[in-house]
Amino acid sequence: MTVRTGIFGATGYTGVELVKILARHPAVEIRFVSSQSSAGQMLTAVAPTAPPLPLVPPQDAPLDEIDVAFLCLPHGAAAETAVACLDAGVKVIDLSADFRLRDAAVYEQWYGARHPAPELLAEAVYGLTEFARDALSGVRLVANPGCYPTSILLAVQPILQAGLAAGTIIADSKSGVSGAGRAPKQSTHFVEVADNFSAYNIGQVHRHWPEITQGFGLWQANPPDLIFSPHLLPVPRGILSTIYAPLQPGWRLADVWALYAQTYADEPFVQVLAPGQLASLAHVTHTNRCAIGLAQAGETLLLTSAIDNLVKGAAGQAVQNMNVMLGLAETMGLE
Amino acid sequence: MTVRTGIFGATGYTGVELVKILARHPAVEIRFVSSQSSAGQMLTAVAPTAPPLPLVPPQDAPLDEIDVAFLCLPHGAAAETAVACLDAGVKVIDLSADFRLRDAAVYEQWYGARHPAPELLAEAVYGLTEFARDALSGVRLVANPGCYPTSILLAVQPILQAGLAAGTIIADSKSGVSGAGRAPKQSTHFVEVADNFSAYNIGQVHRHWPEITQGFGLWQANPPDLIFSPHLLPVPRGILSTIYAPLQPGWRLADVWALYAQTYADEPFVQVLAPGQLASLAHVTHTNRCAIGLAQAGETLLLTSAIDNLVKGAAGQAVQNMNVMLGLAETMGLE
Amino acid sequence: MTVRTGIFGATGYTGVELVKILARHPAVEIRFVSSQSSAGQMLTAVAPTAPPLPLVPPQDAPLDEIDVAFLCLPHGAAAETAVACLDAGVKVIDLSADFRLRDAAVYEQWYGARHPAPELLAEAVYGLTEFARDALSGVRLVANPGCYPTSILLAVQPILQAGLAAGTIIADSKSGVSGAGRAPKQSTHFVEVADNFSAYNIGQVHRHWPEITQGFGLWQANPPDLIFSPHLLPVPRGILSTIYAPLQPGWRLADVWALYAQTYADEPFVQVLAPGQLASLAHVTHTNRCAIGLAQAGETLLLTSAIDNLVKGAAGQAVQNMNVMLGLAETMGLE
Amino acid sequence: MTVRTGIFGATGYTGVELVKILARHPAVEIRFVSSQSSAGQMLTAVAPTAPPLPLVPPQDAPLDEIDVAFLCLPHGAAAETAVACLDAGVKVIDLSADFRLRDAAVYEQWYGARHPAPELLAEAVYGLTEFARDALSGVRLVANPGCYPTSILLAVQPILQAGLAAGTIIADSKSGVSGAGRAPKQSTHFVEVADNFSAYNIGQVHRHWPEITQGFGLWQANPPDLIFSPHLLPVPRGILSTIYAPLQPGWRLADVWALYAQTYADEPFVQVLAPGQLASLAHVTHTNRCAIGLAQAGETLLLTSAIDNLVKGAAGQAVQNMNVMLGLAETMGLE
């Protein structure tokens, strides 16, 4: 079986990472990579170690030649391209935010625009792979989770599912600069970022807040409140979320650790660290893994959760979702 | 007036920073800089942009030629040197942890050794300058606060003093690598730190935890509990603490901001950022300032507090304390 | 004596550095700082640790209130502003390239535009301070040298002046990212620069090549040819030039070192390192110094020359030039 | 065919990189990884993303279970282990310097010790793969080239082979910190390296100088002299060598570029960049590639040559050599 794929928005950091993964994937053929701004160039002109593929304008992308489209596009544009792909019978894995929020009104509130394709929201599967396998099988539209949400949701799922959470969860997250995108901005200038560290959009105002909150609701009827504080790290890639979760009184770390160990016992991409170990970016960069560490302070569970924002937080999880969607081995191309 | 000074442990990162500040201080003369391991060399051999001063062995340091000694020594060694200095009639500003904890039993519990000079604990003044001016005046022994405690205590003092805190305070702190000292270790190797970010000693196990907790008690009789999570940032210097403090129900950000603005209105080294602004390392590196930003998430106050760990978190605050102790202008040599 | 100054283009990296230096200068008063793009804001909005000065539009800058104008403007714009300043009786220190090349035809060849004020070229003094003191005294227009040229010319002056050079000089230079300016570009995006290192405009094509070559001619009638290869370092600031200069056969390192030691014996800002020592950025960052190391390989002299591109390579040297121009102590405000 | 391998010195940066590559190699089985200092631990305790293999003490390594041993050991120790392996009938790929220099006297001069196994020098093949394929086939001892030599020799081979060189070649090389090894030293402390850049051992005194010079002799009877200047870059990995080679008068860049293009036309791991393009670390990090750019300045050819010091400069080239030695596809496990 060969899966014919096309990548829209291939020149962003997520796009390049995805093309590199797909180029190594034994069951995948890349039929096209597209870019609005760099069409006509080779992908290597943008990313020297990427495969030497020509960039086509998105309007010239041959949808009739592919089975699966990956959308590494800005929100809004992604939904419009998704509609075109689905109309052409092409399955879609969307790495933008367009199909992550199930409620078009919530989308409009947070993204400041009407949803371009609200009729597809009910159909889209939120692809946090470890908890979406049944839903993913055979589906035609996958909403690939955001990077921060992936790091946080994988870390808190066991306590929410078990009903252990007992108060506001605080996620203090730190991300590498590739999460801010490839377009040059003052805030991503080397001189502004190097030797610096800063918080931004903290509390309940970042666009990933409603996505994470919605995720909480998957596992607990009246989920706890969330405070989410992103920070910008002077590194190219990686996210570490330090999470503070008050649990029901009297809990013991050994028991909670056992719950995590059991939940993720057979997961190839989630690593529960030994008791006492804390996650770091070094556990995960350039891998599709999430590493989770557990510690205790009184009644509060301290979770450290690390992913590579470009891999498990974007391109890697997208390929993992494709594998599940199509019935391939889930780890194919990802190890 | 000329203050004759000597610096013990001048080759560490804190020591070098201190020598640079003192060399620019208009009322200070440096009589000696000492080092156990590098005695006989020039300080410039260790730090090329430091003043060209010869390093003497600590046992040869002429205590009779100085008015004030600064101790940039490991804990334990610092207390012993402090005793010798005080016996020689020299005032002491100790940048180690030896005189920060008021209770010798607590010291023994956290530092794993009997306190070398418990008789001095009652006399030592905890030099968080902004809240210790009266006590510092004319004193002969100052315990210079730790770097993390400085960033956290300055940020929470107003709400503790006002009795607004209403639950466990969480301080998620991130520090540059100079905080780990100059001695080479695997964990400070460039290749281990660059592109990485990691948590360590999180919860209630770091040695700064009892110091911060003790500080809370200065302003509130039954202070809130503390969870303190340090992290290692891939930058040379700077600390950013993101602090989560639940306040009494019904509080308004404008009121709390006004409280902070009033508390620090006349402080030359504490900057309360405009509402909506968040602190970053760029606000403070290479200065003696603490920048504090305020935000709200429900009933939780979100504080971002930034300092340069080598300046306001160590050498700068030590000089600020010397200025106050001796009746000099507090900002002398620090602007 | 108080020197009233104004800074045009105060929000660039050079401008901010200059404002910080001038704010500490005991004989200087800053009357205005200007910016085209950020007028109406405070300088602290751009650079949090800069002095809190309001940014005025350049057309509103009160030339009648200042004695000296510093131009941190793009080439072309700088010359036009220089004319306006001089017409208003204001002395000018231009940090752009506009008045560095003495020949308007060479300027046009390298900058692709007619020189905006060729009539001023003869009058402008090329302010490599150590070798321009007589010319600077009382002059009204100073062309502040480029950063790369400063690092290279200070390093080779002694051998050119002594007629020792004997073949093409190769300068392999490496600069921090602030040298590329504050405007965000793809090539200065943190993710593109971090973990990377690259050469650009190597050989005889960089705009600093004619400036350096012209400088050679100051000291030797038929100066050697130059190959100049700039590289981009993943650091915010600093330049290290490694220079390969074949000398007349039979030379001895001790003699050449003595020549350098003598040339720079009384220079406060040029440090000739001990034989065997090599210059590094750590010798100079955040100082107005140039550190020069000498080594030998056969008949080739190996020079390592380090400066902080924003200080000795721009703002610091500009203030040094102002001091000389006005008869102030040369080191005032720079130590 | 399955190649059974063992890796000595698996916990250094080169060792970890090698284990990761071999773990992905379809024809390789790792039978053991050894470490003197970390024996008894898992390799993941040292490098979290490495394969989870137990570290055995080198003296317990089962030589009878392997076909090929890789030595990532200090010089001296490597030669002794090589003897033991060869005696046990195991082929050896030595990543240390022990068998690179063909002359035991030269080894003694540069490494300050008698060669531990001079009788093997004649037999060892210097494994600059692209120019050693015939010699590598079926051999039992490979001396894997040094990192700097690989970057330089691949870049200059075409002009030496063609007899075009016409004077001293200058190689100004810059390396990431992993080249200095994993043992913590003052010079590799994060705070010493970050924001810094420095030269070391420049001229004709670095231990790679005789190795490069010996390499020149492979292709030209009276090879040109070499000046070699290494520098320490604040990045974890990667080498860029900027090389200045005077050529015979009258040469044209187009012709020389054609020579390079032809020399490397069929090479999977050497990329000759288009005329005008310069090599950067971004061309090669995390790959087994060498990227070479060509430019001209008068009669001097300017070469920029980039490799990943841990891959093409060490572990990757070692696997490439193993593939050739054993008759496997040369690119196996390396793409």
Side-chain angles (χ1 to χ4, degrees), chain B residues 101 126 148-150 152-153 156 160 171 173 206-217 219 226 228:
Chain B
L101 299 172
Y126 185 73
Y148 285 124
T150 297
I152 295 167
L153 292 175
V156 301
L160 294 180
S173 296
H206 189 282
R207 284 170 170 172
H208 282 176
W209 184 87
E211 181 182 341
I212 302 165
T213 297
Q214 173 183 284
F216 283 6
W219 304 306
L226 170 70
F228 166 55

PDB file of all heavy atoms in Angstrom, chain B residues 101 126 148-150 152-153 156 160 171 173 206-217 219 226 228:
ATOM      1  N   LEU B 101      18.483  31.919  57.244  1.00  0.00           N
ATOM      2  CA  LEU B 101      17.465  31.246  58.061  1.00  0.00           C
ATOM      3  C   LEU B 101      17.720  31.602  59.521  1.00  0.00           C
ATOM      4  O   LEU B 101      18.825  31.436  60.023  1.00  0.00           O
ATOM      5  CB  LEU B 101      17.541  29.740  57.839  1.00  0.00           C
ATOM      6  CG  LEU B 101      17.276  29.290  56.391  1.00  0.00           C
ATOM      7  CD1 LEU B 101      17.569  27.800  56.231  1.00  0.00           C
ATOM      8  CD2 LEU B 101      15.837  29.599  55.991  1.00  0.00           C
ATOM      9  N   TYR B 126      18.243  40.155  57.593  1.00  0.00           N
ATOM     10  CA  TYR B 126      17.905  39.613  56.276  1.00  0.00           C
ATOM     11  C   TYR B 126      17.716  40.783  55.316  1.00  0.00           C
ATOM     12  O   TYR B 126      16.745  41.546  55.434  1.00  0.00           O
ATOM     13  CB  TYR B 126      16.647  38.758  56.357  1.00  0.00           C
ATOM     14  CG  TYR B 126      16.296  38.055  55.079  1.00  0.00           C
ATOM     15  CD1 TYR B 126      17.043  36.963  54.636  1.00  0.00           C
ATOM     16  CD2 TYR B 126      15.230  38.477  54.294  1.00  0.00           C
ATOM     17  CE1 TYR B 126      16.728  36.318  53.450  1.00  0.00           C
ATOM     18  CE2 TYR B 126      14.908  37.840  53.114  1.00  0.00           C
ATOM     19  CZ  TYR B 126      15.659  36.760  52.694  1.00  0.00           C
ATOM     20  OH  TYR B 126      15.349  36.125  51.517  1.00  0.00           O
ATOM     21  N   TYR B 148      16.317  33.414  43.981  1.00  0.00           N
ATOM     22  CA  TYR B 148      14.893  33.091  43.826  1.00  0.00           C
ATOM     23  C   TYR B 148      14.053  33.810  44.878  1.00  0.00           C
ATOM     24  O   TYR B 148      13.017  34.414  44.543  1.00  0.00           O
ATOM     25  CB  TYR B 148      14.677  31.585  43.946  1.00  0.00           C
ATOM     26  CG  TYR B 148      15.101  30.755  42.758  1.00  0.00           C
ATOM     27  CD1 TYR B 148      16.007  29.707  42.908  1.00  0.00           C
ATOM     28  CD2 TYR B 148      14.580  30.969  41.489  1.00  0.00           C
ATOM     29  CE1 TYR B 148      16.378  28.900  41.837  1.00  0.00           C
ATOM     30  CE2 TYR B 148      14.943  30.170  40.400  1.00  0.00           C
ATOM     31  CZ  TYR B 148      15.840  29.132  40.582  1.00  0.00           C
ATOM     32  OH  TYR B 148      16.204  28.340  39.527  1.00  0.00           O
ATOM     33  N   PRO B 149      14.435  33.760  46.167  1.00  0.00           N
ATOM     34  CA  PRO B 149      13.622  34.460  47.171  1.00  0.00           C
ATOM     35  C   PRO B 149      13.431  35.941  46.858  1.00  0.00           C
ATOM     36  O   PRO B 149      12.332  36.483  47.043  1.00  0.00           O
ATOM     37  CB  PRO B 149      14.425  34.254  48.470  1.00  0.00           C
ATOM     38  CG  PRO B 149      15.100  32.927  48.265  1.00  0.00           C
ATOM     39  CD  PRO B 149      15.476  32.929  46.797  1.00  0.00           C
ATOM     40  N   THR B 150      14.475  36.613  46.379  1.00  0.00           N
ATOM     41  CA  THR B 150      14.325  38.030  46.050  1.00  0.00           C
ATOM     42  C   THR B 150      13.238  38.233  45.010  1.00  0.00           C
ATOM     43  O   THR B 150      12.369  39.109  45.143  1.00  0.00           O
ATOM     44  CB  THR B 150      15.670  38.600  45.544  1.00  0.00           C
ATOM     45  OG1 THR B 150      16.633  38.514  46.596  1.00  0.00           O
ATOM     46  CG2 THR B 150      15.524  40.049  45.098  1.00  0.00           C
ATOM     47  N   ILE B 152      10.730  36.402  44.301  1.00  0.00           N
ATOM     48  CA  ILE B 152       9.394  36.010  44.759  1.00  0.00           C
ATOM     49  C   ILE B 152       8.901  36.926  45.880  1.00  0.00           C
ATOM     50  O   ILE B 152       7.752  37.382  45.882  1.00  0.00           O
ATOM     51  CB  ILE B 152       9.409  34.537  45.208  1.00  0.00           C
ATOM     52  CG1 ILE B 152       9.696  33.638  43.994  1.00  0.00           C
ATOM     53  CG2 ILE B 152       8.092  34.147  45.869  1.00  0.00           C
ATOM     54  CD1 ILE B 152      10.048  32.203  44.344  1.00  0.00           C
ATOM     55  N   LEU B 153       9.759  37.230  46.840  1.00  0.00           N
ATOM     56  CA  LEU B 153       9.308  38.016  47.998  1.00  0.00           C
ATOM     57  C   LEU B 153       8.921  39.438  47.595  1.00  0.00           C
ATOM     58  O   LEU B 153       7.918  39.979  48.085  1.00  0.00           O
ATOM     59  CB  LEU B 153      10.388  38.028  49.082  1.00  0.00           C
ATOM     60  CG  LEU B 153      10.623  36.659  49.748  1.00  0.00           C
ATOM     61  CD1 LEU B 153      11.803  36.731  50.720  1.00  0.00           C
ATOM     62  CD2 LEU B 153       9.362  36.182  50.478  1.00  0.00           C
ATOM     63  N   VAL B 156       5.399  39.260  46.136  1.00  0.00           N
ATOM     64  CA  VAL B 156       4.209  38.926  46.935  1.00  0.00           C
ATOM     65  C   VAL B 156       4.041  39.783  48.187  1.00  0.00           C
ATOM     66  O   VAL B 156       3.000  39.709  48.849  1.00  0.00           O
ATOM     67  CB  VAL B 156       4.188  37.427  47.340  1.00  0.00           C
ATOM     68  CG1 VAL B 156       4.210  36.536  46.097  1.00  0.00           C
ATOM     69  CG2 VAL B 156       5.328  37.084  48.270  1.00  0.00           C
ATOM     70  N   LEU B 160       0.639  39.994  50.819  1.00  0.00           N
ATOM     71  CA  LEU B 160       0.756  39.417  52.163  1.00  0.00           C
ATOM     72  C   LEU B 160       0.548  40.496  53.213  1.00  0.00           C
ATOM     73  O   LEU B 160      -0.209  40.332  54.170  1.00  0.00           O
ATOM     74  CB  LEU B 160       2.119  38.748  52.328  1.00  0.00           C
ATOM     75  CG  LEU B 160       2.370  37.510  51.459  1.00  0.00           C
ATOM     76  CD1 LEU B 160       3.763  36.947  51.736  1.00  0.00           C
ATOM     77  CD2 LEU B 160       1.317  36.438  51.695  1.00  0.00           C
ATOM     78  N   ALA B 171       4.960  29.353  42.976  1.00  0.00           N
ATOM     79  CA  ALA B 171       5.975  30.148  42.267  1.00  0.00           C
ATOM     80  C   ALA B 171       6.714  29.227  41.306  1.00  0.00           C
ATOM     81  O   ALA B 171       7.426  28.322  41.724  1.00  0.00           O
ATOM     82  CB  ALA B 171       6.944  30.788  43.257  1.00  0.00           C
ATOM     83  N   SER B 173       9.512  29.234  38.871  1.00  0.00           N
ATOM     84  CA  SER B 173      10.649  30.123  38.636  1.00  0.00           C
ATOM     85  C   SER B 173      11.609  29.525  37.621  1.00  0.00           C
ATOM     86  O   SER B 173      11.780  28.302  37.551  1.00  0.00           O
ATOM     87  CB  SER B 173      11.402  30.370  39.944  1.00  0.00           C
ATOM     88  OG  SER B 173      10.592  31.058  40.875  1.00  0.00           O
ATOM     89  N   HIS B 206      13.546  22.424  47.428  1.00  0.00           N
ATOM     90  CA  HIS B 206      14.708  23.261  47.137  1.00  0.00           C
ATOM     91  C   HIS B 206      15.071  24.066  48.386  1.00  0.00           C
ATOM     92  O   HIS B 206      14.206  24.499  49.141  1.00  0.00           O
ATOM     93  CB  HIS B 206      14.376  24.202  45.969  1.00  0.00           C
ATOM     94  CG  HIS B 206      15.557  24.965  45.443  1.00  0.00           C
ATOM     95  ND1 HIS B 206      16.062  26.074  46.080  1.00  0.00           N
ATOM     96  CD2 HIS B 206      16.326  24.794  44.349  1.00  0.00           C
ATOM     97  CE1 HIS B 206      17.090  26.559  45.391  1.00  0.00           C
ATOM     98  NE2 HIS B 206      17.274  25.789  44.334  1.00  0.00           N
ATOM     99  N   ARG B 207      16.361  24.317  48.589  1.00  0.00           N
ATOM    100  CA  ARG B 207      16.818  25.022  49.791  1.00  0.00           C
ATOM    101  C   ARG B 207      16.305  26.454  49.910  1.00  0.00           C
ATOM    102  O   ARG B 207      16.380  27.053  50.981  1.00  0.00           O
ATOM    103  CB  ARG B 207      18.350  25.042  49.830  1.00  0.00           C
ATOM    104  CG  ARG B 207      18.926  23.709  50.249  1.00  0.00           C
ATOM    105  CD  ARG B 207      20.420  23.679  50.037  1.00  0.00           C
ATOM    106  NE  ARG B 207      21.011  22.494  50.647  1.00  0.00           N
ATOM    107  CZ  ARG B 207      22.285  22.137  50.481  1.00  0.00           C
ATOM    108  NH1 ARG B 207      23.088  22.867  49.743  1.00  0.00           N
ATOM    109  NH2 ARG B 207      22.748  21.056  51.060  1.00  0.00           N
ATOM    110  N   HIS B 208      15.831  26.998  48.814  1.00  0.00           N
ATOM    111  CA  HIS B 208      15.265  28.344  48.902  1.00  0.00           C
ATOM    112  C   HIS B 208      13.826  28.312  49.426  1.00  0.00           C
ATOM    113  O   HIS B 208      13.278  29.357  49.778  1.00  0.00           O
ATOM    114  CB  HIS B 208      15.333  29.056  47.554  1.00  0.00           C
ATOM    115  CG  HIS B 208      16.709  29.589  47.235  1.00  0.00           C
ATOM    116  ND1 HIS B 208      17.021  30.202  46.046  1.00  0.00           N
ATOM    117  CD2 HIS B 208      17.856  29.599  47.957  1.00  0.00           C
ATOM    118  CE1 HIS B 208      18.293  30.556  46.049  1.00  0.00           C
ATOM    119  NE2 HIS B 208      18.820  30.197  47.188  1.00  0.00           N
ATOM    120  N   TRP B 209      13.229  27.130  49.476  1.00  0.00           N
ATOM    121  CA  TRP B 209      11.835  27.043  49.944  1.00  0.00           C
ATOM    122  C   TRP B 209      11.694  27.531  51.386  1.00  0.00           C
ATOM    123  O   TRP B 209      10.829  28.387  51.662  1.00  0.00           O
ATOM    124  CB  TRP B 209      11.305  25.610  49.767  1.00  0.00           C
ATOM    125  CG  TRP B 209       9.865  25.467  50.121  1.00  0.00           C
ATOM    126  CD1 TRP B 209       8.786  25.670  49.308  1.00  0.00           C
ATOM    127  CD2 TRP B 209       9.327  25.106  51.402  1.00  0.00           C
ATOM    128  NE1 TRP B 209       7.620  25.461  49.993  1.00  0.00           N
ATOM    129  CE2 TRP B 209       7.919  25.116  51.280  1.00  0.00           C
ATOM    130  CE3 TRP B 209       9.886  24.786  52.632  1.00  0.00           C
ATOM    131  CZ2 TRP B 209       7.075  24.808  52.354  1.00  0.00           C
ATOM    132  CZ3 TRP B 209       9.054  24.480  53.709  1.00  0.00           C
ATOM    133  CH2 TRP B 209       7.658  24.489  53.566  1.00  0.00           C
ATOM    134  N   PRO B 210      12.500  27.057  52.322  1.00  0.00           N
ATOM    135  CA  PRO B 210      12.326  27.580  53.695  1.00  0.00           C
ATOM    136  C   PRO B 210      12.660  29.066  53.801  1.00  0.00           C
ATOM    137  O   PRO B 210      12.084  29.776  54.636  1.00  0.00           O
ATOM    138  CB  PRO B 210      13.298  26.721  54.523  1.00  0.00           C
ATOM    139  CG  PRO B 210      14.283  26.184  53.544  1.00  0.00           C
ATOM    140  CD  PRO B 210      13.530  26.013  52.256  1.00  0.00           C
ATOM    141  N   GLU B 211      13.568  29.536  52.978  1.00  0.00           N
ATOM    142  CA  GLU B 211      13.900  30.962  53.020  1.00  0.00           C
ATOM    143  C   GLU B 211      12.720  31.805  52.555  1.00  0.00           C
ATOM    144  O   GLU B 211      12.391  32.834  53.169  1.00  0.00           O
ATOM    145  CB  GLU B 211      15.128  31.240  52.140  1.00  0.00           C
ATOM    146  CG  GLU B 211      15.545  32.705  52.142  1.00  0.00           C
ATOM    147  CD  GLU B 211      16.730  32.986  51.220  1.00  0.00           C
ATOM    148  OE1 GLU B 211      17.453  32.034  50.851  1.00  0.00           O
ATOM    149  OE2 GLU B 211      16.921  34.159  50.865  1.00  0.00           O
ATOM    150  N   ILE B 212      12.063  31.371  51.500  1.00  0.00           N
ATOM    151  CA  ILE B 212      10.912  32.121  51.004  1.00  0.00           C
ATOM    152  C   ILE B 212       9.774  32.049  52.014  1.00  0.00           C
ATOM    153  O   ILE B 212       9.115  33.047  52.321  1.00  0.00           O
ATOM    154  CB  ILE B 212      10.457  31.575  49.629  1.00  0.00           C
ATOM    155  CG1 ILE B 212      11.610  31.643  48.626  1.00  0.00           C
ATOM    156  CG2 ILE B 212       9.254  32.342  49.112  1.00  0.00           C
ATOM    157  CD1 ILE B 212      11.389  30.815  47.371  1.00  0.00           C
ATOM    158  N   THR B 213       9.542  30.866  52.536  1.00  0.00           N
ATOM    159  CA  THR B 213       8.476  30.676  53.521  1.00  0.00           C
ATOM    160  C   THR B 213       8.714  31.544  54.756  1.00  0.00           C
ATOM    161  O   THR B 213       7.787  32.176  55.285  1.00  0.00           O
ATOM    162  CB  THR B 213       8.405  29.187  53.907  1.00  0.00           C
ATOM    163  OG1 THR B 213       8.068  28.437  52.742  1.00  0.00           O
ATOM    164  CG2 THR B 213       7.365  28.941  54.973  1.00  0.00           C
ATOM    165  N   GLN B 214       9.947  31.584  55.213  1.00  0.00           N
ATOM    166  CA  GLN B 214      10.294  32.453  56.336  1.00  0.00           C
ATOM    167  C   GLN B 214       9.985  33.917  56.001  1.00  0.00           C
ATOM    168  O   GLN B 214       9.467  34.674  56.826  1.00  0.00           O
ATOM    169  CB  GLN B 214      11.772  32.280  56.671  1.00  0.00           C
ATOM    170  CG  GLN B 214      12.301  33.257  57.707  1.00  0.00           C
ATOM    171  CD  GLN B 214      13.800  33.068  57.928  1.00  0.00           C
ATOM    172  OE1 GLN B 214      14.225  32.132  58.591  1.00  0.00           O
ATOM    173  NE2 GLN B 214      14.612  33.959  57.361  1.00  0.00           N
ATOM    174  N   GLY B 215      10.288  34.284  54.758  1.00  0.00           N
ATOM    175  CA  GLY B 215      10.001  35.644  54.319  1.00  0.00           C
ATOM    176  C   GLY B 215       8.509  35.948  54.350  1.00  0.00           C
ATOM    177  O   GLY B 215       8.097  37.041  54.771  1.00  0.00           O
ATOM    178  N   PHE B 216       7.694  35.006  53.912  1.00  0.00           N
ATOM    179  CA  PHE B 216       6.236  35.211  53.985  1.00  0.00           C
ATOM    180  C   PHE B 216       5.835  35.627  55.404  1.00  0.00           C
ATOM    181  O   PHE B 216       4.992  36.503  55.601  1.00  0.00           O
ATOM    182  CB  PHE B 216       5.499  33.919  53.629  1.00  0.00           C
ATOM    183  CG  PHE B 216       5.453  33.589  52.167  1.00  0.00           C
ATOM    184  CD1 PHE B 216       6.155  34.338  51.223  1.00  0.00           C
ATOM    185  CD2 PHE B 216       4.696  32.506  51.709  1.00  0.00           C
ATOM    186  CE1 PHE B 216       6.096  34.021  49.869  1.00  0.00           C
ATOM    187  CE2 PHE B 216       4.631  32.192  50.370  1.00  0.00           C
ATOM    188  CZ  PHE B 216       5.331  32.944  49.452  1.00  0.00           C
ATOM    189  N   GLY B 217       6.475  34.957  56.391  1.00  0.00           N
ATOM    190  CA  GLY B 217       6.116  35.201  57.789  1.00  0.00           C
ATOM    191  C   GLY B 217       6.457  36.589  58.279  1.00  0.00           C
ATOM    192  O   GLY B 217       5.990  37.010  59.347  1.00  0.00           O
ATOM    193  N   TRP B 219       5.467  39.224  56.977  1.00  0.00           N
ATOM    194  CA  TRP B 219       4.390  40.167  56.662  1.00  0.00           C
ATOM    195  C   TRP B 219       3.001  39.653  57.011  1.00  0.00           C
ATOM    196  O   TRP B 219       2.044  40.384  56.981  1.00  0.00           O
ATOM    197  CB  TRP B 219       4.455  40.523  55.175  1.00  0.00           C
ATOM    198  CG  TRP B 219       5.792  41.058  54.779  1.00  0.00           C
ATOM    199  CD1 TRP B 219       6.451  42.113  55.350  1.00  0.00           C
ATOM    200  CD2 TRP B 219       6.664  40.549  53.775  1.00  0.00           C
ATOM    201  NE1 TRP B 219       7.662  42.299  54.754  1.00  0.00           N
ATOM    202  CE2 TRP B 219       7.828  41.359  53.767  1.00  0.00           C
ATOM    203  CE3 TRP B 219       6.596  39.505  52.856  1.00  0.00           C
ATOM    204  CZ2 TRP B 219       8.895  41.154  52.914  1.00  0.00           C
ATOM    205  CZ3 TRP B 219       7.649  39.298  51.988  1.00  0.00           C
ATOM    206  CH2 TRP B 219       8.791  40.114  52.024  1.00  0.00           C
ATOM    207  N   LEU B 226       3.443  27.396  50.344  1.00  0.00           N
ATOM    208  CA  LEU B 226       4.204  27.726  49.136  1.00  0.00           C
ATOM    209  C   LEU B 226       4.575  26.454  48.386  1.00  0.00           C
ATOM    210  O   LEU B 226       5.071  25.491  48.970  1.00  0.00           O
ATOM    211  CB  LEU B 226       5.505  28.464  49.509  1.00  0.00           C
ATOM    212  CG  LEU B 226       6.513  28.657  48.365  1.00  0.00           C
ATOM    213  CD1 LEU B 226       6.015  29.666  47.340  1.00  0.00           C
ATOM    214  CD2 LEU B 226       7.877  29.069  48.902  1.00  0.00           C
ATOM    215  N   PHE B 228       7.149  25.752  45.220  1.00  0.00           N
ATOM    216  CA  PHE B 228       8.212  26.498  44.527  1.00  0.00           C
ATOM    217  C   PHE B 228       8.918  25.553  43.555  1.00  0.00           C
ATOM    218  O   PHE B 228       9.479  24.542  43.949  1.00  0.00           O
ATOM    219  CB  PHE B 228       9.190  27.048  45.568  1.00  0.00           C
ATOM    220  CG  PHE B 228      10.497  27.535  44.987  1.00  0.00           C
ATOM    221  CD1 PHE B 228      10.510  28.492  43.977  1.00  0.00           C
ATOM    222  CD2 PHE B 228      11.713  27.032  45.444  1.00  0.00           C
ATOM    223  CE1 PHE B 228      11.715  28.937  43.441  1.00  0.00           C
ATOM    224  CE2 PHE B 228      12.910  27.473  44.918  1.00  0.00           C
ATOM    225  CZ  PHE B 228      12.909  28.420  43.912  1.00  0.00           C
TER     226      PHE B 228
END
